Amino acid sequence: LNNNQNNNHQKDIHRYSFSRFKTFHTCPRKHQYQYVEQLESEESAVTIPGKLFHKCIQQFLDGEDMADTIKEFRTLCTTGKLDLEPDLLEYIVSKYLQYYAKDYSSEKNLMTEKEFTETIEGDDYITLIVDQAFEKNNMVTVRDIKTTTSKLKYTYDDVVHNQQLLLYVPYVENELSVKVD
């Protein structure tokens, strides 16, 4: 694994990711505009809260304080950069953590928001970020935290064919030197 690749993810035509593959599969024209022509686009009111939500969960799992991230969200709301209620992120994070409290209390966190980068061929490389890997009952599991769904838990059918998680498995296994269940 090559973890020393260019971190300028938005401007690098040689960077591939699960999102890029999914975009191409869903809409080749959007892929062309976004990844090949690299047309500028601002972070949207959808992506910013999701990124801050992920940051809060990472901070929680790593035993860090979320106050600055919550404050950043509030500032974006009160300055008009986000048209959302300033207390929304704190509310959603608290409800999420309350919902998963029993699960998190019985899990041993092994990794959070871990970025992997690997050369594919020539200048092309793939980058992926594993949201979480944890151990419970002597089993290692990979978790991808989603913020774009109305439901907090996924059914077995939702994840059995999740290609993103399948892509993550060999990277987690290599990093942790364990078998992912």
Side-chain angles (χ1 to χ4, degrees):
L1 296 179
N2 182 356
N3 288 316
N4 297 321
Q5 294 285 354
N6 181 359
N7 285 328
N8 187 2
H9 303 315
Q10 295 175 331
K11 300 283 186 190
D12 192 344
I13 194 170
H14 299 288
R15 179 183 181 269
Y16 290 84
S17 65
F18 182 80
S19 296
R20 182 172 178 172
F21 294 129
K22 187 175 177 183
T23 300
F24 181 79
H25 179 73
T26 305
C27 182
R29 183 171 300 214
K30 181 178 179 181
H31 174 271
Q32 176 71 24
Y33 293 151
Q34 185 173 348
Y35 294 100
V36 179
E37 295 179 23
Q38 301 177 9
L39 296 178
E40 294 290 328
S41 64
E42 292 185 29
E43 283 192 300
S44 72
V46 174
T47 60
I48 293 171
K51 286 180 181 183
L52 294 176
F53 174 82
H54 269 260
K55 188 174 179 180
C56 283
I57 301 306
Q58 176 186 7
Q59 290 168 327
F60 169 79
L61 292 170
D62 291 343
E64 299 173 5
D65 188 15
M66 296 181 270
D68 287 342
T69 305
I70 299 292
K71 182 179 178 183
E72 178 183 351
F73 179 83
R74 284 190 179 127
T75 300
L76 289 169
C77 294
T78 57
T79 59
K81 292 182 180 164
L82 286 177
D83 187 22
L84 297 168
E85 292 295 321
D87 294 330
L88 182 63
L89 180 63
E90 185 174 24
Y91 174 78
I92 291 172
V93 168
S94 69
K95 289 295 183 186
Y96 177 89
L97 294 176
Q98 180 183 2
Y99 191 85
Y100 282 107
K102 185 176 179 181
D103 293 327
Y104 282 141
S105 69
S106 63
E107 299 168 356
K108 177 184 175 188
N109 187 39
L110 302 174
M111 118 185 1
T112 53
E113 298 295 328
K114 173 71 174 166
E115 182 174 322
F116 294 94
T117 302
E118 182 174 11
T119 300
I120 300 173
E121 183 176 293
D123 292 334
D124 294 335
Y125 63 97
I126 187 168
T127 299
L128 53 99
I129 300 174
V130 174
D131 293 346
Q132 185 188 20
F134 63 91
E135 182 180 359
K136 180 178 178 178
N137 300 327
N138 296 317
M139 292 177 63
V140 175
T141 303
V142 175
R143 176 180 284 139
D144 188 54
I145 300 168
K146 296 292 185 198
T147 57
T148 59
T149 182
S150 61
K151 53 186 177 178
L152 288 174
K153 284 202 173 187
Y154 291 100
T155 67
Y156 177 78
D157 290 336
D158 292 332
V159 296
V160 70
H161 299 293
N162 185 317
Q163 295 172 344
Q164 187 173 8
L165 290 174
L166 291 175
L167 176 63
Y168 292 174
V169 168
Y171 292 91
V172 173
E173 287 179 341
N174 186 51
E175 178 74 13
L176 298 176
S177 298
V178 297
K179 177 84 172 119
V180 171
D181 301 291

